[in-house]
Amino acid sequence: MKRKKVKGALSRCLTLLSVLLFLSCPLGIYAQDETLSDDSRISIDSSRKYQGMDAPFAKGYEPSVTKNEMTLVVPFVSDTKLDKNRITVGINFESGQNSPFYFKNYRKQVKRSEEGVYLYKCRLKLKKDRINGQYPLHLWAEGKAEGSLIRQEFTIYVEITDGTPRIGGEGSASDVISSNGEEADGGEDLSGGEDMSGDEGLQPVGGDMPESVQPSAEEKTSQPRLMISQNSLQGNALEAGSSAVWNVSVQNCSSRDSVENIKITLLSESKDIIFEKNAWYFEKTLPKKTMELTQNLTVAKKASVEPIAVQFQIEYEDTKGGSYTTTEEVKLLVRQPQQAGIANLSFPEQVYATDTEFLNFQVQNTGLSTIYNVTVRLEAKGLFPQAEVFLGNIEGGNSADGEQKVFVGTLNMDEEGNISDEGGEKYGDTSGMVILSYENEQGEVTEQKMELHTTIQQAESVELTIEEQKPKSNQWWITIIFFVISALLLVIVWLYLRMKHYQRMGRT
């Protein structure tokens, strides 16, 4: 008997300590640094609110709960540069049969954002038979700086409010009786009071729960749901550089319950779309009624061709004052207008029948998106291209050169090159079209045409005339006579000079 009394007293002491711990922490979520090192360099940013948070930590941030899933967002910051601008974050759970969480591995790497924060997001699976109360989560964050490992541990407390009500009002999460009537902690008396039957501990299991602690029918009402029922841009791509009207309908899916105090906030990380309005407020919405969200949105001229995620964060209350938060997501499609054309088109102004000429050109893609399956063909009367020119895909800002062989016929030929009109004109001016064809990402074909003009002339006939060549006489004797006369002249000059020399010698 003394052992039972001591055991009961010890249980009541533990209960009192649990109550004091619970009362010392206000509702919500709080963080405390468990590492007392002076050189701690990883901490939680408690002063600012980030995407997915309804308030900063300092103002009582509470994670959102949807069905059996809790979305937790924790912003970490560091006062030193970490290797690869990454940290690793994980969660350690406290063991206990009353824990509302399924114990899983929530470890993940978090990259530093442009704002300088490591935003850790995870979705914790909750048990269906969870019990209301505050529960601790032990988070750890670690990273490397200059080869040294930095590790920090934190404890945050989360509040469960949508589970089975706690017995006895305030107290720890262990001061409850489970929904099937069994004690939550091995049959020990944790109530802090004496048993009315005179024996220590709770009353035997199996009897009806006292009326004062039985959940009423009002407490078992289901959560009203708000969901996007219509999106005017669903499946329609927005063209970069344009504006469009966007209509979104949010419906109260409940068939019997109204919702009140509704705030809808628009969130997106993309900078390629500018919204005219980012938030709406509705005082009340009746069952099965919708709320219309209408605005103009503008797409940047250089927007990326990729789906843009847009979130609708919906905060609302039921008629009993219960508050809820849910998030709906839609994706907007963006496409870049295709801008391409033919440049540097070259073809002779005059051509001759039966000749083969060359059509030269350049296809320029002046847009930002790629054009696909680019082809060029010629259609003109009297001109017969060998085959259409296939240039493949051309990326935005690039160009491709092409050349096409063209056989020159006559004007009275049909498309197959046969004479269709024997008495028709064969030669003269003709015109046609150079046709550029290409596709976009969806396979839609675009064609552009450029006019071509030339004149077909009759083929020139060239007469070959051969002149009769007179037989050449042998003139070798003339050469001999020329050399003989030249030799005689040289001898005469030499003799004359010698004579003059002797005359001057005789005078002296």
Side-chain angles (χ1 to χ4, degrees):
M1 183 65 69
K2 290 182 178 180
R3 180 178 298 177
K4 288 185 177 180
K5 289 183 178 181
V6 171
K7 192 173 182 180
L10 180 59
S11 298
R12 287 190 289 273
C13 291
L14 291 174
T15 301
L16 181 60
L17 289 174
S18 299
V19 172
L20 292 175
L21 177 60
F22 178 79
L23 293 177
S24 64
C25 296
L27 296 180
I29 179 168
Y30 303 88
Q32 65 181 36
D33 186 354
E34 290 187 340
T35 303
L36 303 179
S37 174
D38 293 334
D39 59 352
S40 171
R41 285 174 286 182
I42 299 178
S43 59
I44 293 179
D45 185 358
S46 60
S47 61
R48 291 190 293 176
K49 182 180 76 171
Y50 296 90
Q51 183 177 357
M53 302 175 64
D54 59 352
F57 270 72
K59 294 185 179 181
Y61 159 69
E62 295 183 5
S64 61
V65 176
T66 304
K67 292 185 178 180
N68 295 316
E69 190 174 72
M70 173 182 287
T71 301
L72 178 66
V73 180
V74 183
F76 293 95
V77 292
S78 175
D79 58 1
T80 186
K81 181 175 176 58
L82 300 177
D83 293 354
K84 298 181 180 180
N85 287 326
R86 295 178 183 269
I87 64 172
T88 303
V89 183
I91 301 177
N92 295 327
F93 298 93
E94 285 193 354
S95 60
Q97 63 180 7
N98 291 320
S99 174
F101 308 105
Y102 284 106
F103 296 168
K104 292 186 176 182
N105 182 12
Y106 295 101
R107 173 176 175 173
K108 63 190 297 186
Q109 285 191 340
V110 184
K111 187 177 180 181
R112 183 176 181 268
S113 68
E114 295 179 356
E115 299 176 352
V117 65
Y118 300 88
L119 196 61
Y120 173 72
K121 297 181 181 180
C122 71
R123 295 180 178 178
L124 285 71
K125 297 294 183 181
L126 300 177
K127 298 178 181 178
K128 293 183 180 180
D129 57 350
R130 55 189 176 274
I131 300 169
N132 293 342
Q134 276 194 335
Y135 298 90
L137 288 175
H138 302 288
L139 277 76
W140 55 268
E142 65 180 24
K144 288 186 178 181
E146 299 179 355
S148 299
L149 181 65
I150 302 172
R151 183 182 176 93
Q152 200 77 20
E153 294 183 0
F154 309 86
T155 297
I156 62 176
Y157 291 89
V158 297
E159 180 78 12
I160 300 297
T161 60
D162 62 344
T164 303
R166 181 187 306 113
I167 298 301
E170 299 292 339
S172 68
S174 60
D175 294 340
V176 296
I177 295 180
S178 62
S179 59
N180 59 6
E182 296 182 353
E183 290 185 64
D185 196 12
E188 292 293 332
D189 182 8
L190 302 180
S191 63
E194 294 292 332
D195 183 13
M196 298 301 293
S197 65
D199 194 8
E200 289 77 13
L202 295 174
Q203 294 182 356
V205 175
D208 293 335
M209 190 179 297
E211 184 178 356
S212 61
V213 297
Q214 285 184 349
S216 64
E218 293 181 353
E219 294 176 346
K220 296 182 180 179
T221 57
S222 59
Q223 173 184 345
R225 298 289 180 185
L226 297 180
M227 299 180 65
I228 291 177
S229 59
Q230 187 177 2
N231 173 16
S232 65
L233 294 179
Q234 183 71 33
N236 298 324
L238 296 167
E239 188 171 290
S242 67
S243 298
V245 178
W246 189 21
N247 297 314
V248 177
S249 299
V250 179
Q251 183 180 32
N252 178 9
C253 299
S254 176
S255 59
R256 60 181 182 181
D257 296 325
S258 300
V259 290
E260 302 174 350
N261 195 24
I262 307 151
K263 180 184 177 182
I264 303 176
T265 306
L266 197 62
L267 304 172
S268 178
E269 296 181 353
S270 175
K271 298 179 180 179
D272 291 335
I273 290 187
I274 301 173
F275 299 102
E276 182 183 41
K277 194 173 183 180
N278 293 86
W280 294 263
Y281 176 80
F282 300 88
E283 185 175 356
K284 184 176 182 178
T285 299
L286 298 175
K288 291 297 182 180
K289 297 298 182 180
T290 59
M291 295 166 286
E292 302 300 327
L293 314 180
T294 303
Q295 66 165 320
N296 290 319
L297 56 83
T298 304
V299 186
K301 289 185 178 180
K302 296 185 178 181
S304 301
V305 183
E306 60 184 6
I308 297 177
V310 180
Q311 290 185 342
F312 290 81
Q313 181 177 294
I314 308 173
E315 304 171 63
Y316 59 100
E317 298 176 357
D318 57 22
T319 55
K320 298 183 177 68
S323 60
Y324 307 93
T325 300
T326 186
T327 301
E328 293 283 300
E329 183 177 277
V330 299
K331 290 188 177 180
L332 301 177
L333 303 178
V334 175
R335 69 179 180 188
Q336 280 285 343
Q338 292 184 323
Q339 300 173 355
I342 297 177
N344 302 328
L345 185 65
S346 174
F347 193 75
E349 294 181 357
Q350 293 182 350
V351 292
Y352 294 93
T354 70
D355 282 356
T356 298
E357 300 291 348
F358 289 91
L359 174 68
N360 297 293
F361 56 86
Q362 183 182 70
V363 177
Q364 296 179 347
N365 182 2
T366 57
L368 298 178
S369 59
T370 302
I371 56 178
Y372 301 89
N373 298 327
V374 181
T375 59
V376 176
R377 67 182 188 273
L378 171 64
E379 294 180 358
K381 191 172 184 180
L383 301 179
F384 302 92
Q386 186 176 21
E388 70 177 16
V389 180
F390 179 75
L391 299 177
N393 303 335
I394 304 177
E395 296 182 356
N398 292 340
S399 62
D401 295 326
E403 183 180 73
Q404 188 175 40
K405 284 184 178 181
V406 180
F407 174 78
V408 182
T410 56
L411 297 177
N412 60 348
M413 290 182 176
D414 59 17
E415 295 180 355
E416 297 181 357
N418 300 318
I419 302 296
S420 60
D421 186 5
E422 291 290 345
E425 292 289 338
K426 292 184 178 181
Y427 313 105
D429 295 337
T430 184
S431 61
M433 292 290 177
V434 179
I435 303 172
L436 167 65
S437 174
Y438 54 88
E439 299 176 4
N440 60 12
E441 294 85 351
Q442 290 76 36
E444 300 172 342
V445 179
T446 300
E447 286 190 349
Q448 294 184 9
K449 299 180 179 181
M450 178 176 285
E451 290 188 359
L452 180 142
H453 300 275
T454 189
T455 301
I456 300 177
Q457 296 183 348
Q458 184 177 2
E460 292 182 340
S461 58
V462 179
E463 296 182 359
L464 297 178
T465 56
I466 301 176
E467 296 182 357
E468 294 184 0
Q469 295 183 354
K470 296 181 180 180
K472 295 182 179 180
S473 60
N474 194 349
Q475 303 293 331
W476 61 268
W477 56 271
I478 297 176
T479 304
I480 295 175
I481 292 174
F482 173 77
F483 281 110
V484 171
I485 292 174
S486 298
L488 290 174
L489 290 175
L490 290 174
V491 171
I492 292 171
V493 171
W494 180 76
L495 291 175
Y496 176 76
L497 294 175
R498 291 283 297 173
M499 185 181 65
K500 288 288 183 183
H501 175 70
Y502 287 124
Q503 288 176 355
R504 285 193 297 270
M505 291 293 294
R507 290 174 183 173
T508 58

